[in-house]
Amino acid sequence: MIKITLPDGTEKKFDKGVTPLDVAKSISEGFARNVISANFNGTTLETTSSLNEDGSLILYTWNDDEGKKAFWHSSAHILAQALEELYPGVKLSIGPAIENGFYYDIDLGEHSISEKDFKSIEDKMIEIARGKHTFEMRAASKAEALDLYRSQDNEYKVELIENLEDGTITFCDHSTFTDLCRGGHIPNTGIVKAVKLLSVAGAYWRGDENNKQLTRIYGISFPKQKDLTEYLNLLEEAKKRDHRKLGKELELFTFSQKVGQGLPLWLPKGAALRERLENFLKAAQKKAGYEMVVTPHIGQKELYVTSGHYEKYGADSFQPILTPKEGEEFLLKPMNCPHHCEIYNAMPFSYKELPKRYAEFGTVYRYEQSGELHGLTRVRGFTQDDAHIFCTPDQLDKEFKDVIDLVLYVFGSLGFENFKAQVSLRDTENPEKYIGSDENWKKAEDAILNAAIDKGLDYVVVKGEAAFYGPKLDFMVKDALGRNWQLGTIQVDYNLPERFDLTYKGSDNELHRPVMIHRAPFGSMERFIAILLEHTGGNFPIWLMPTQAIILSISEKYEKYSQKVLNLLEKHEIRALVDHRNETIGKKIREAEMNKIPYMLIIGEKEEDENMISVRKHGGEELGMISVETLSEVIENEINKTLKTFK
């Protein structure tokens, strides 16, 4: 007999050879019908796998993220089978599940695929799915696996297998199809009821521009047609909210091939938006005791060698800049933290002068491959709302919690109310990925976990997601479309202070090492604005709007009164414009609506005679004829509802 422990702590005894599906049936037949994947002692396996030792078992349904992962991974297999049947001779490479759906990278050879071919591929996938073919895992020797793919002249699978150890290689079979696979599938193809291919793109093998470009086909699948319909409706809404589309319509930013890919150009309205966000955070930082600093856009290569960034990222970053001096090399700044360490090192500190909190809106540069670039969310040059706190170990807990409060203030003022915290720890099985001693890592990880608990955060712990120099607390925000984004990060670092030999004089008159906190509530200004655009659909909180009101005069006769109203609005610190164009009032309103302007002030003869304005809100609500002072109070009340007070 073996003992199986379930997530709620329940222990059950079974004969050896029991399967996860058998365990599910022992709970209830209804539950078992919904189980599509399992995890035993930390390893993902099939629901039909034999369990032969004591252990902890987690059973997943479609409602679990791991269940969806197995569902979409299995769907990638179905896609691969459909492609092999429809396009004989294609070579398969990899087909993982992703956050929403799956993809498969294939070498099409002489074939080509475009969106017009999606319907026939989808039909073939559904035909395969209806066969209710069981997903079955089997082990294979390295020689056997190599022979199979060499016979198919598939250099991609051969390369994958050559990097695997004999005895660790497995295949998944279903129907007439077989594929190299580690496992983690749904019980059978019949669970897949609805499929939609979303796009086709080029993708370099293993993400290396020096390798051959393959064809990547993205898709998504669901256990019910209704789920697919809802998802496609969500996609349509996402298209309307796409920050690239809204950024162009609202004249916020642009890109230029002559300037370079991934290097955004901020237009006047976008620059003003950025400035308001920066000033918003600067005001809170000033209250919290931060000091602003400025660092250059480049640094000597040795700076980043010292910090460890060059070793970890140098090969994938912009390459060194050579100067006329022999052997002198500079790098475009990939991170602000090494510069801030050197600012701290510029003068001696005692424990009485700590903490030191240095903040900077610093622009950094990282080389993203062209295929990975996406609007403002993946760029090559971006500005971080970076700050680094240098404190004593005794101050760490309070400082970390104060940063949490600052992040929550930012989220609350910008309408991000739905979020979870993620404590990202190191992967202890791969210590080569990190710098520093086990002792320092333990202290840093404990500090973050204790702060998350004390602040009452809803958090999860994820191993292997820490930065190379320290663990971190990331905030995972859900937007208006239900998508999750990582926004805001706080990191505890005992390692860079050692590398840069940072010290302070303690009460014992001896030199001690400070602890360093890295923090960025926005993260990247570019990415944050992109997410905020899509979350709000361009309808920013009114305190942030580029234009809060627009004056729409019915005719040129009312230009003088329009200017008077504009002057009054400016005295009340309301950002406003006047539309004097010789256009119909209907057209002016439609264009103001398209530009997301919160308040439209219509001015004609009656308004001028009574020294009033007729006010229409974005979306169509009429406030009637009111005074500028009343409108000012309305806007002020709206600002106070959204812009929180930072204490």
Side-chain angles (χ1 to χ4, degrees), residues 163-177:
N163 291 318
L164 298 175
E165 295 293 328
D166 206 349
T168 66
I169 298 169
T170 53
F171 282 83
C172 177
D173 303 322
H174 75 268
S175 182
T176 60
F177 179 77

Side-chain angles (χ1 to χ4, degrees), residues 288 290 357 387-389 396-410 455 473 475 488-491 517-521 646:
Y290 287 82
R357 308 179 187 95
H388 297 93
I389 301 168
L396 174 60
D397 183 65
K398 180 180 184 303
E399 290 299 314
F400 196 92
K401 289 174 182 173
D402 286 349
V403 176
I404 291 175
D405 289 338
L406 180 63
V407 172
L408 298 184
Y409 164 71
V410 169
K455 296 300 291 185
L473 180 67
F475 291 85
T489 186
I490 319 171
Q491 304 163 0
I517 299 174
H518 307 242
R519 53 110 279 208
F646 182 68

Side-chain angles (χ1 to χ4, degrees), residues 66-96:
E66 289 297 322
K68 289 183 175 69
K69 183 178 178 180
F71 192 95
W72 287 329
H73 173 60
S74 304
S75 300
H77 280 288
I78 298 173
L79 169 60
Q81 181 182 354
L83 293 170
E84 281 196 337
E85 292 184 10
L86 292 170
Y87 304 94
V90 299
K91 298 176 186 178
L92 305 177
S93 64
I94 57 170

Side-chain angles (χ1 to χ4, degrees), residues 121-136:
I121 300 171
E122 292 164 359
D123 289 345
K124 175 59 73 172
M125 290 179 70
I126 292 299
E127 178 188 320
I128 293 167
R130 286 174 178 160
K132 297 184 178 179
H133 307 291
T134 302
F135 288 95
E136 296 179 347

Side-chain angles (χ1 to χ4, degrees), residues 207-446:
D208 187 338
E209 291 177 324
N210 297 314
N211 289 335
K212 184 173 182 179
Q213 190 173 65
L214 306 179
T215 298
R216 176 172 294 179
I217 300 177
Y218 288 95
I220 197 162
S221 56
F222 294 91
K224 296 178 182 177
Q225 181 63 43
K226 175 177 72 72
D227 295 334
L228 175 59
T229 301
E230 290 175 357
Y231 180 78
L232 294 178
N233 289 337
L234 196 64
L235 279 187
E236 285 304 309
E237 182 61 28
K239 286 179 184 177
K240 296 175 189 175
R241 291 172 177 250
D242 190 312
H243 75 276
R244 295 166 298 178
K245 174 177 177 288
L246 290 174
K248 184 176 181 179
E249 291 174 356
L250 299 177
E251 299 176 354
L252 299 178
F253 60 87
T254 189
F255 289 90
S256 163
Q257 288 296 320
K258 289 183 180 178
V259 172
Q261 286 185 299
L263 300 171
L265 300 171
W266 290 90
L267 305 177
K269 290 180 182 178
L273 175 73
R274 279 180 58 126
E275 184 180 23
R276 274 189 292 280
L277 278 172
E278 286 187 15
N279 290 340
F280 155 72
L281 186 55
K282 282 178 180 177
Q285 287 178 166
K286 186 174 182 181
K287 283 186 178 181
Y290 287 82
E291 299 172 279
M292 296 301 298
V293 297
V294 178
T295 62
H297 290 252
I298 63 173
Q300 285 201 96
K301 176 183 171 183
E302 186 59 33
L303 177 70
Y304 309 109
V305 171
T306 300
S307 70
H309 288 98
Y310 187 77
E311 180 185 354
K312 294 293 179 181
Y313 305 119
D316 299 319
S317 193
F318 286 100
Q319 294 306 292
I321 303 165
L322 303 180
T323 74
K325 183 179 178 180
E326 182 71 26
E328 189 173 55
E329 294 179 297
F330 285 79
L331 290 180
L332 285 171
K333 179 172 61 173
M335 283 283 189
N336 297 303
C337 36
H339 296 251
H340 289 192
C341 286
E342 287 301 288
I343 288 177
Y344 179 90
N345 246 347
M347 62 196 77
F349 292 106
S350 83
Y351 72 98
K352 294 179 181 179
E353 296 169 288
L354 299 186
K356 298 301 292 182
R357 308 179 187 95
Y358 296 136
E360 176 181 18
F361 286 87
T363 301
V364 298
Y365 303 89
R366 300 176 193 172
Y367 186 78
E368 299 280 358
Q369 293 189 16
S370 58
E372 299 294 326
L373 298 174
H374 182 81
L376 295 181
T377 59
R378 290 291 292 271
V379 289
R380 289 175 172 167
F382 57 94
T383 302
Q384 292 181 309
D385 59 320
D386 228 346
H388 297 93
I389 301 168
F390 301 90
C391 62
T392 69
D394 290 343
Q395 294 168 335
L396 174 60
D397 183 65
K398 180 180 184 303
E399 290 299 314
F400 196 92
K401 289 174 182 173
D402 286 349
V403 176
I404 291 175
D405 289 338
L406 180 63
V407 172
L408 298 184
Y409 164 71
V410 169
F411 288 175
S413 295
L414 289 161
F416 290 112
E417 304 288 353
N418 191 353
F419 62 87
K420 284 189 175 183
Q422 175 178 300
V423 178
S424 299
L425 308 179
R426 62 179 170 156
D427 178 0
T428 53
E429 294 182 5
N430 292 287
E432 70 281 357
K433 292 167 58 179
Y434 310 97
I435 61 174
S437 67
D438 289 344
E439 179 187 1
N440 282 346
W441 273 91
K442 175 86 167 54
K443 288 189 291 187
E445 290 176 343
D446 288 347

